[in-house]
């Protein structure tokens, strides 16, 4: 892994680089909610990607209750990780994606550790995530970061308690 992983709140400065890596190295369905648009990275889907991220510029206290972060290594945007307030006080849900070329290098685990630190600084007590059993990369990252996994059918729910598991440096 070349350099330390940093998280930078998604804003107008890093939104286009984030869209560029998404369009070059990820499928639309892996990086944004479904939208009615032509298949692939059409102009309409690119605009929906921008609007989806702009809606969260208000952070945890904004209308989407989400803080999105660009994952930066060596000055380059490689993906995104977010935290969204849950109805349960002190709990946020997380999700992440990385461009294909950044996967399998420990960047996901390092980014999640940074997010756990940010969640703790924001006064959160727990971070949860949902994925599927066949998302081997996500399950590995969650396990490396101390998540307790609960499997139900194909679904995997992860919980990281920030009180008992200080995020590793």
């Amino acid at each position: 892994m070349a350099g330390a992983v940093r998280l930078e709140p998604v804003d107008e400065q890093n939104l286009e680089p984030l869209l560029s890596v998404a369009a070059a190295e990820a499928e639309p369905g892996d990086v944004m909610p479904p939208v009615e648009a032509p298949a692939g990275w059409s102009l309409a889907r690119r605009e929906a990607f921008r609007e989806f991220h702009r809606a969260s510029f208000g952070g945890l206290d904004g209308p989407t209750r989400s803080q999105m972060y660009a994952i930066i290594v060596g000055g380059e945007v490689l993906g995104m990780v977010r935290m969204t307030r849950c109805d349960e006080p002190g709990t946020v849900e997380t999700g992440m994606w990385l461009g294909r070329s950044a996967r399998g290098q420990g960047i996901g685990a390092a980014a999640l550790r940074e997010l756990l630190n940010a969640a703790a600084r924001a006064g959160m007590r727990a971070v949860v995530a949902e994925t599927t059993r066949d998302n081997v990369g996500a399950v590995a990252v969650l396990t490396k970061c101390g998540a307790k996994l609960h499997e139900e059918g194909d679904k995997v729910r992860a919980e990281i308690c920030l009180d008992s598991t200080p995020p590793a440096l």
Side-chain angles (χ1 to χ4, degrees):
M1 184 168 63
V5 172
R6 296 187 297 110
L7 301 185
E8 203 175 85
V10 174
D11 60 17
E12 289 297 338
Q13 269 57 56
N14 56 33
L15 184 55
E16 290 306 312
L18 186 64
L19 174 55
S20 293
V21 73
E25 298 199 31
E27 295 303 317
D30 294 341
V31 301
M32 62 185 280
V35 294
E36 287 296 319
W41 283 102
S42 62
L43 288 176
R45 199 171 305 274
R46 288 169 187 262
E47 195 50 39
F49 180 93
R50 289 182 189 101
E51 291 309 312
F52 170 66
H53 287 81
R54 285 179 179 134
S56 294
F57 283 4
L60 291 177
D61 297 323
T64 66
R65 301 169 51 171
S66 293
Q67 178 64 63
M68 297 192 181
Y69 296 96
I71 300 169
I72 316 264
V73 179
E76 282 193 62
V77 175
L78 300 179
M80 189 276 298
V81 62
R82 68 166 171 79
M83 62 177 157
T84 301
R85 283 187 192 273
C86 297
D87 290 336
E88 188 181 330
T91 302
V92 288
E93 190 253 342
T94 190
M96 172 189 324
W97 64 267
L98 287 170
R100 286 182 196 94
S101 66
R103 297 175 190 168
Q105 302 172 46
I107 294 168
L112 182 55
R113 284 187 199 104
E114 288 298 314
L115 184 95
L116 297 176
N117 288 329
R121 284 192 303 274
M124 299 299 145
R125 293 187 310 276
V127 176
V128 297
E130 290 189 7
T131 189
T132 55
R133 190 180 309 183
D134 63 356
N135 190 339
V136 179
V139 171
V141 164
L142 291 162
T143 302
K144 277 183 195 154
C145 291
K148 289 186 176 68
L149 302 181
H150 309 281
E151 292 187 27
E152 193 173 306
D154 187 41
K155 295 196 184 318
V156 177
R157 180 173 166 81
E159 185 170 351
I160 301 169
C161 179
L162 298 176
D163 296 336
S164 64
T165 314
L169 297 176

